[in-house]
Amino acid sequence: MKIQWKFADGTTSEVEVNEEIGNYITASRREESNLARKERYHCYSLDAIDYEGLEYATDTTPETDLIREEDAARINTALDKLSETQKRRLLMLADGLSVNEIARIEDVAPNAAWKSIESAKKKFKKHF
């Protein structure tokens, strides 16, 4: 069986292969062509996450972008109400550091760091 190979520069070449390999290559090309045709005519909806899965959907819409912007503004406003020490310690806690690690970095007693962080949390919740 002869199989034709088309190259990017437009030239073609024929190769002699046995029947089994030729049938496999032909079937593979047919399947690839069918999948490409299906993909060209496939329309993705905003509800694609429900039907096709996460890889076909996006979680960003104008509404979610606006909500993110508003939340970011509220977070920044609440953080501005904290003292620099409280803000720094709360952000370190948010980055995954433990209270003992924060105390060691800040060179304070763990109890003092914990009290500062707890008051920062309360103040943040009040203004958020």
Side-chain angles (χ1 to χ4, degrees):
M1 170 180 251
K2 289 189 177 186
I3 298 292
Q4 263 195 350
W5 293 98
K6 293 182 183 177
F7 297 99
D9 64 359
T11 61
T12 59
S13 177
E14 284 189 359
V15 178
E16 184 73 33
V17 296
N18 69 25
E19 194 72 24
E20 185 179 346
I21 293 174
N23 288 335
Y24 179 80
I25 291 172
T26 305
S28 175
R29 287 179 177 173
R30 189 178 310 116
E31 184 178 351
E32 185 177 342
S33 175
N34 288 341
L35 287 173
R37 188 171 38 260
K38 283 181 188 177
E39 190 66 28
R40 272 195 308 269
Y41 296 109
H42 190 86
C43 298
Y44 298 111
S45 71
L46 294 176
D47 297 327
I49 193 168
D50 296 332
Y51 304 105
E52 301 289 341
L54 289 174
E55 63 272 10
Y56 292 104
T58 178
D59 63 340
T60 58
T61 63
E63 183 180 344
T64 57
D65 289 341
L66 180 63
I67 290 170
R68 280 193 193 115
E69 289 173 14
E70 290 173 350
D71 286 346
R74 289 178 58 207
I75 289 169
N76 287 332
T77 302
L79 284 174
D80 288 341
K81 304 291 183 183
L82 302 177
S83 70
E84 286 301 315
T85 304
Q86 287 176 328
K87 186 188 305 186
R88 186 176 57 248
R89 290 177 181 169
L90 191 61
L91 290 174
M92 281 193 266
L93 185 71
D95 284 338
L97 295 176
S98 70
V99 174
N100 288 334
E101 291 170 328
I102 294 169
R104 196 171 327 118
I105 291 169
E106 296 277 319
D107 198 28
V108 296
N111 194 25
W114 180 80
K115 285 182 181 177
S116 173
I117 290 169
E118 286 301 311
S119 66
K121 285 180 184 179
K122 287 179 187 175
K123 196 186 259 188
F124 183 86
K125 285 179 185 176
K126 177 182 174 185
H127 293 288
F128 186 71

